[in-house]
């Protein structure tokens, strides 16, 4: 026993190194297959405060650009509204399954294989895990962790990301994933061989998810190949979003999600 | 002013974390190159050290950056390994006499110091990018990232270390 203690004491640095390294490995590798760590992420109070203090300053440099973007989006929405003939006054809130909450990005990365985005809204604004996040141009990601005032989002540019998507105006759907290579291009896999795929077609979210509403744009088909066993297509999708330059986002809340999940759970249990 | 090494290193620690998170990780030079300049902490840290404390500080430095950047514990792993391998790298660069009392950074040549810094950066980048990908099929991408990010980190660190040159040690 004495010898073991002496051995440990003599090599205490190596032991300390191994213990700390093991901790790091557990945190890193666990999050490969499971969610990002609930305790160590940038949605926490201290990190959120520092990051939002920084964006409070840097945002001023993009105000004009951001304004133009918002006006353009409004113009497009107006156009849709007028032509659908369903105008409402400001205090008449449309009823339906989906609610929208706006938020601002306070941290965005796109250079690593697993990118997370931090937003300046959290639980006090009604944000929960697994809500969809979009921009005026297209899909951005899914909420992963929340604190009182901040939330982290698993970006579509994350090798763990997996979003249900389809080719517009067809019902062929597949999974949207990212191979970690290029931050403009994501992959749509599992589209069956019988689908007619053309370069330039639009990819939108599918109806198979309770997170996003159907038909939210994602990108256009850049090129496509059959996969290794020749049974389905692997499609390279050019994103509509410029992932390096995003400021304002919308978080989508599906009021029916809980009910859908419970129903699916009880169906699976039987 | 900052004569106490504890105060000096605490301030360095905080400033390096903030600089890394708020400035250098937003560079995205040529699309995706973000230099990891916090390695300067290990370059500047006094030579005669309490090793367990140094290891723990390295871990803490990396982990604080990880929490800001949502990189799990990758920076912690890299920083910890850099801290652990520092004595070996010092012996390699400065010869065995770095352990003697009279040894200071001033008595080393510029080439020795840059080599030392470059080796610290190499260790840090190899650990970081290998565990970031964690896949052998991406070995070329990993090497590419190590080389390009490493070069930019080295250039910035040499510039920063001459800008904030310290007289002590």
């Amino acid at each position: 026993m004495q010898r073991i203690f002496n051995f440990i004491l003599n090599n205490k640095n190596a032991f300390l190194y191994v213990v700390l390294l093991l901790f790091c490995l557990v945190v890193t590798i666990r999050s490969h297959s499971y969610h990002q760590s609930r305790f160590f992420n940038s949605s926490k109070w201290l990190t959120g405060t520092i990051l939002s203090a920084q964006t409070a300053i840097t945002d001023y440099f993009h105000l004009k650009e951001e304004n133009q973007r918002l006006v353009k989006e409004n113009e497009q929405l107006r156009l849709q509204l007028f032509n659908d003939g369903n105008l409402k006054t400001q205090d008449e809130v449309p009823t339906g399954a989906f609610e929208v909450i706006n938020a601002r990005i306070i941290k965005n990365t796109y250079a690593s294989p697993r990118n997370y985005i931090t937003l300046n809204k959290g639980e006090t604004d009604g944000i929960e895990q697994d809500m969809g996040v979009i921009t005026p141009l297209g899909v951005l990601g899914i909420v992963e962790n929340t604190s009182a005032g901040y939330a982290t989002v698993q970006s579509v540019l994350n090798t763990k990301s997996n979003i249900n998507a389809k080719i517009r105006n067809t019902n062929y759907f597949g999974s949207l994933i990212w191979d970690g290579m290029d931050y403009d291009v994501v992959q749509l896999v599992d589209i069956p061989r019988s689908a007619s795929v053309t370069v330039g077609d639009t990819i939108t979210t599918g109806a198979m998810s309770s997170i996003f509403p159907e038909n939210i744009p994602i990108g256009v088909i850049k090129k496509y190949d059959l996969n290794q066993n020749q049974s389905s297509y692997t499609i390279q999708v050019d994103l509509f979003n410029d992932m390096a330059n995003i400021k304002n986002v919308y978080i989508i809340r599906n009021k029916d999600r809980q009910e859908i999940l419970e129903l699916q759970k009880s169906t699976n249990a039987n | 002013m900052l004569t106490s090494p504890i105060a000096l290193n605490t301030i360095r620690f905080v400033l390096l974390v903030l600089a890394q998170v708020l400035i250098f990780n937003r560079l995205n030079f040529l699309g995706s190159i973000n230099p990891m300049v916090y390695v300067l902490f290990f370059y500047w840290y006094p030579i005669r050290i309490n090793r367990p404390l140094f290891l723990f500080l390295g871990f803490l430095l990396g982990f604080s950056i990880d929490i800001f950047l949502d990189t799990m514990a990758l920076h912690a792993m890299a920083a910890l390994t850099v801290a652990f391998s520092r004595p070996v790298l010092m012996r390699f660069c400065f010869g065995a006499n770095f352990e003697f009392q009279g040894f200071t950074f001033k008595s080393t040549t510029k080439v020795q110091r840059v080599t030392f810094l470059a080796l610290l950066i190499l260790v840090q980048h190899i650990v970081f990018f290998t565990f970031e990908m964690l896949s052998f099929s991406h070995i070329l991408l990993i090497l590419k990232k190590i080389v390009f990010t490493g070069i930019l980190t080295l250039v910035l660190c040499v510039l920063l270390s001459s800008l904030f040159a310290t007289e002590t040690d």
Side-chain angles (χ1 to χ4, degrees):
Chain A
M1 207 61 192
Q2 181 81 38
R3 282 196 167 184
I4 296 172
F5 281 129
N6 278 340
F7 178 73
I8 292 176
L9 279 178
N10 288 337
N11 297 295
K12 62 175 187 291
N13 293 324
F15 270 98
L16 184 62
Y17 174 69
V18 171
V19 168
L20 290 177
L21 192 71
L22 276 179
F23 171 79
C24 294
L25 280 172
V26 169
V27 171
T28 308
I29 293 178
R30 232 177 69 94
S31 68
H32 262 277
S33 50
Y34 192 61
H35 279 312
Q36 175 194 21
S37 165
R38 256 183 59 213
F39 305 104
F40 312 116
N41 64 67
S42 64
S43 73
K44 293 290 172 271
W45 174 80
L46 179 68
T47 47
T49 313
I50 292 177
L51 290 170
S52 64
Q54 186 198 23
T55 37
I57 299 166
T58 52
D59 273 0
Y60 279 103
F61 302 109
H62 307 283
L63 272 183
K64 209 167 186 176
E65 194 188 330
E66 203 53 36
N67 241 335
Q68 274 163 3
R69 219 182 285 180
L70 290 175
V71 170
K72 196 153 187 194
E73 192 202 353
N74 274 338
E75 184 189 311
Q76 195 208 341
L77 292 174
R78 289 270 164 208
L79 200 70
Q80 279 178 28
L81 264 181
F82 292 153
N83 292 317
D84 289 349
N86 201 3
L87 285 169
K88 285 191 166 72
T89 54
Q90 292 240 311
D91 47 332
E92 280 180 291
V93 182
T95 48
F98 294 103
E99 270 176 14
V100 173
I101 308 161
N102 72 79
R104 242 188 25 239
I105 290 181
I106 57 171
K107 189 217 77 182
N108 181 16
T109 63
Y110 48 92
S112 105
R114 269 169 288 157
N115 294 300
Y116 292 95
I117 294 164
T118 314
L119 305 178
N120 71 340
K121 293 269 170 84
E123 284 152 20
T124 45
D125 306 285
I127 292 168
E128 290 161 25
Q129 196 178 48
D130 288 334
M131 285 184 175
V133 182
I134 62 166
T135 73
L137 295 176
V139 166
L140 188 67
I142 296 169
V143 174
E144 174 123 355
N145 272 305
T146 52
S147 70
Y150 304 96
T152 57
V153 175
Q154 188 188 68
S155 162
V156 283
L157 299 185
N158 188 313
T159 46
K160 284 195 298 172
S161 164
N162 190 340
I163 293 171
N164 180 264
K166 64 170 193 178
I167 303 171
R168 185 151 84 176
N169 296 334
T170 70
N171 279 319
Y172 292 111
F173 59 86
S175 304
L176 196 75
I177 56 168
W178 189 51
D179 60 5
M181 305 294 267
D182 189 345
Y183 68 81
D184 288 330
V185 182
V186 294
Q187 285 72 36
L188 179 61
V189 295
D190 297 338
I191 292 283
R193 199 178 170 165
S194 52
S196 68
V197 182
T198 326
V199 171
D201 273 2
T202 307
I203 304 292
T204 66
T205 52
M208 304 287 287
S209 117
S210 55
I211 296 174
F212 291 105
E214 206 181 342
N215 292 324
I216 291 183
I218 295 171
V220 293
I221 297 177
K222 193 183 178 194
K223 63 174 194 197
Y224 57 92
D225 289 308
L226 279 171
N227 69 353
Q228 272 175 345
N229 52 22
Q230 305 281 310
S231 61
S232 63
Y233 286 113
T234 300
I235 300 173
Q236 305 286 329
V237 182
D238 237 341
L239 286 174
F240 284 130
N241 271 325
D242 175 6
M243 296 302 284
N245 184 15
I246 313 169
K247 281 278 174 280
N248 288 297
V249 299
Y250 302 110
I251 299 156
I252 302 170
R253 176 201 188 86
N254 184 350
K255 283 185 266 185
D256 296 340
R257 179 172 159 82
Q258 209 55 42
E259 197 181 331
I260 295 172
L261 287 184
E262 268 162 30
L263 196 63
Q264 282 173 346
K265 208 167 143 191
S266 65
T267 316
N268 287 341
N270 292 336
Chain B
M1 185 179 74
L2 297 168
T3 41
S4 152
I6 296 174
L8 179 70
N9 278 301
T10 314
I11 290 173
R12 225 177 241 166
F13 186 102
V14 174
L15 286 183
L16 277 172
V17 170
L18 290 181
Q20 181 66 45
V21 173
L22 301 181
I23 303 169
F24 293 105
N25 256 84
R26 307 229 170 184
L27 277 188
N28 291 308
F29 182 64
L30 297 180
S32 64
I33 303 179
N34 292 319
M36 303 194 270
V37 293
Y38 63 89
V39 72
L40 277 170
F41 182 79
F42 307 100
Y43 176 72
W44 278 331
Y45 203 79
I47 297 170
R48 273 164 293 281
I49 52 169
N50 175 353
R51 272 199 80 192
L53 177 70
F54 184 54
L55 280 178
F56 193 69
L57 279 179
F59 168 75
L60 214 61
L61 176 71
F63 205 60
S64 331
I65 293 169
D66 279 325
I67 293 177
F68 274 101
L69 297 177
D70 295 306
T71 39
M72 284 67 77
L74 292 169
H75 285 291
M77 218 183 290
L80 182 67
T81 312
V82 170
F84 186 68
S85 57
R86 194 177 91 138
V88 183
L89 300 181
M90 280 189 128
R91 193 168 297 128
F92 178 77
C93 295
F94 306 133
N97 60 350
F98 87 92
E99 277 162 350
F100 296 131
Q101 279 299 316
F103 179 83
T104 60
F105 262 123
K106 268 189 191 160
S107 63
T108 58
T109 63
K110 185 103 192 157
V111 177
Q112 280 178 318
R113 269 173 289 167
V114 173
T115 317
F116 175 51
L117 185 56
L119 286 174
L120 290 178
I121 291 172
L122 188 68
V123 171
Q124 177 202 23
H125 281 60
I126 288 176
V127 174
F128 182 84
F129 286 115
T130 312
F131 283 94
E132 187 187 55
M133 284 290 179
L134 216 62
S135 112
F136 285 110
S137 54
H138 289 91
I139 193 109
L140 273 176
L141 184 68
I142 294 174
L143 283 177
K144 202 177 92 184
K145 283 190 169 189
I146 291 174
V147 171
F148 289 123
T149 315
I151 289 171
L152 188 63
T153 309
L154 182 64
V155 171
L156 276 171
C157 283
V158 170
L159 289 178
L160 284 174
S161 69
S162 53
L163 192 62
F164 299 104
T166 48
E167 278 85 53
T168 53
D169 259 330

